[in-house]
Amino acid sequence: MAKMDGASLGYAYHLPTGGCLLRLRNALSQFSDLFSEFNRYIAPAYHHDRCERSVQMRLYSMHKREFVMVFLAFFCCLGLGIFIGLAGPPITTTSHVRGTTILQKLNLSNNMMSQGPFVITSPVITTYHQQLWVISVFQTDNTDDEIFDKSFQVLVSIEGVNTDHKPVPILHGDKAHNRTRHLMCEKQSCDPVTILHLGFLDFSHYIFTVNFYGLKSFHKRYHIREINFYFKSYNPGFTQLEMWFRLIFLIGTFTVACWFTLTLRNYVMYDWSFEQKWMS
């Protein structure tokens, strides 16, 4: 009897060698089996043949006209917001006082322009102003074409005026705010220098005492002609507009969320998807 093997029959059998492709396929299969229990909560798709279907989203059944209306409403709201932003009040408001005027009130000569002290009283401030910046702008008599950078120190003490019109020390003179600033100038104009920034406002008026150190040699060479102190804060009108916008959008969001939850009550909670359960 002739010996029969796989070659004579026209086929061959190979034992599994455990290649990388087979191992990867087995790992993916185990990973799929591990998360197969979550498939019933996934939103339905066209290739799903299971009977447990989640509540279909309204987005899947919208017509072209409805899509056009949604996009039209979105662009109308966007245009309305841009129009209100352009026609509304400015974001910030600015007022300023001259350094020469401050020195005259203190009976000091203009030779003290390089050091001060400058006792500055802020304008009337309310909580609608949100924050306050004090910025100084130097003006010189320099006629050269050079651009120079001069470092100096700024010493600031702060007092608030209460309802009884009495000053309340906030930052004492012995613990004053001392910072190093850079004065960059080109010809007669210099870049603005931030003196201080108040993140919250507790008083209707503030009194700032500003002293400069390290500008005497600069003043002798280029002669500081004027220092303008600017008070910059948020516009109260813009703050009120911002508050109304937030209130309207809060009410609108709450209304849409309630309407969405109410429409889902028509279906069994078991059929809700993860997103629908989270939103409601």
Side-chain angles (χ1 to χ4, degrees):
M1 183 176 181
K3 185 178 180 180
M4 299 179 63
D5 54 2
S8 61
L9 295 177
Y11 68 90
Y13 177 75
H14 298 278
L15 293 175
T17 58
C20 296
L21 183 60
L22 181 60
R23 293 179 182 178
L24 180 61
R25 184 179 301 175
N26 293 334
L28 292 177
S29 177
Q30 294 177 2
F31 184 80
S32 177
D33 294 339
L34 179 63
F35 290 94
S36 60
E37 294 296 329
F38 295 95
N39 288 338
R40 65 176 58 189
Y41 302 108
I42 302 176
Y46 68 93
H47 59 273
H48 289 172
D49 56 351
R50 54 186 171 81
C51 58
E52 301 91 1
R53 294 299 182 97
S54 301
V55 179
Q56 190 176 16
M57 296 179 64
R58 184 70 176 88
L59 181 65
Y60 299 144
S61 60
M62 291 179 62
H63 300 286
K64 292 183 179 180
R65 294 180 180 178
E66 295 174 341
F67 271 108
V68 172
M69 292 300 296
V70 169
F71 278 100
L72 184 61
F74 170 75
F75 284 111
C76 288
C77 294
L78 180 62
L80 180 62
I82 294 175
F83 173 76
I84 294 176
L86 295 176
I91 299 177
T92 59
T93 179
T94 305
S95 61
H96 80 284
V97 60
R98 297 179 179 273
T100 53
T101 305
I102 298 173
L103 293 178
Q104 290 176 2
K105 292 181 180 180
L106 298 175
N107 296 324
L108 298 176
S109 64
N110 291 338
N111 294 328
M112 303 294 293
M113 190 71 68
S114 62
Q115 58 184 16
F118 299 93
V119 181
I120 311 170
T121 303
S122 68
V124 179
I125 295 175
T126 62
T127 54
Y128 289 108
H129 287 83
Q130 301 186 37
Q131 303 178 39
L132 178 65
W133 290 266
V134 179
I135 302 171
S136 63
V137 178
F138 289 75
Q139 296 179 359
T140 66
D141 290 334
N142 179 33
T143 57
D144 299 335
D145 294 334
E146 61 180 347
I147 300 175
F148 48 87
D149 182 0
K150 175 65 177 177
S151 62
F152 65 101
Q153 288 74 38
V154 180
L155 186 68
V156 181
S157 61
I158 306 174
E159 293 179 338
V161 181
N162 58 16
T163 55
D164 297 332
H165 301 285
K166 294 181 179 179
V168 178
I170 299 176
L171 196 60
H172 297 274
D174 55 346
K175 299 179 181 179
H177 183 79
N178 190 358
R179 291 292 183 272
T180 300
R181 296 289 186 263
H182 288 269
L183 181 63
M184 300 187 63
C185 300
E186 181 179 2
K187 293 185 178 180
Q188 298 180 357
S189 60
C190 300
D191 294 341
V193 178
T194 302
I195 302 299
L196 61 91
H197 170 222
L198 296 179
F200 55 91
L201 307 174
D202 293 332
F203 300 92
S204 60
H205 288 86
Y206 286 90
I207 300 175
F208 307 105
T209 303
V210 182
N211 292 274
F212 299 124
Y213 296 95
L215 290 178
K216 289 185 178 180
S217 59
F218 177 84
H219 181 57
K220 290 180 180 179
R221 181 175 180 180
Y222 299 105
H223 187 261
I224 302 175
R225 183 176 72 254
E226 184 63 87
I227 302 177
N228 292 316
F229 294 94
Y230 292 89
F231 297 95
K232 190 173 183 179
S233 61
Y234 284 97
N235 190 355
F238 174 79
T239 303
Q240 294 179 4
L241 181 64
E242 183 182 13
M243 293 174 61
W244 277 109
F245 256 86
R246 291 185 178 184
L247 179 62
I248 292 173
F249 277 104
L250 176 63
I251 296 175
T253 304
F254 180 75
T255 304
V256 172
C258 292
W259 172 79
F260 178 73
T261 305
L262 186 62
T263 55
L264 285 178
R265 296 301 177 184
N266 299 327
Y267 305 94
V268 183
M269 190 174 181
Y270 180 78
D271 295 334
W272 295 5
S273 63
F274 278 147
E275 296 83 358
Q276 293 166 344
K277 291 179 181 179
W278 181 81
M279 287 292 295
S280 59

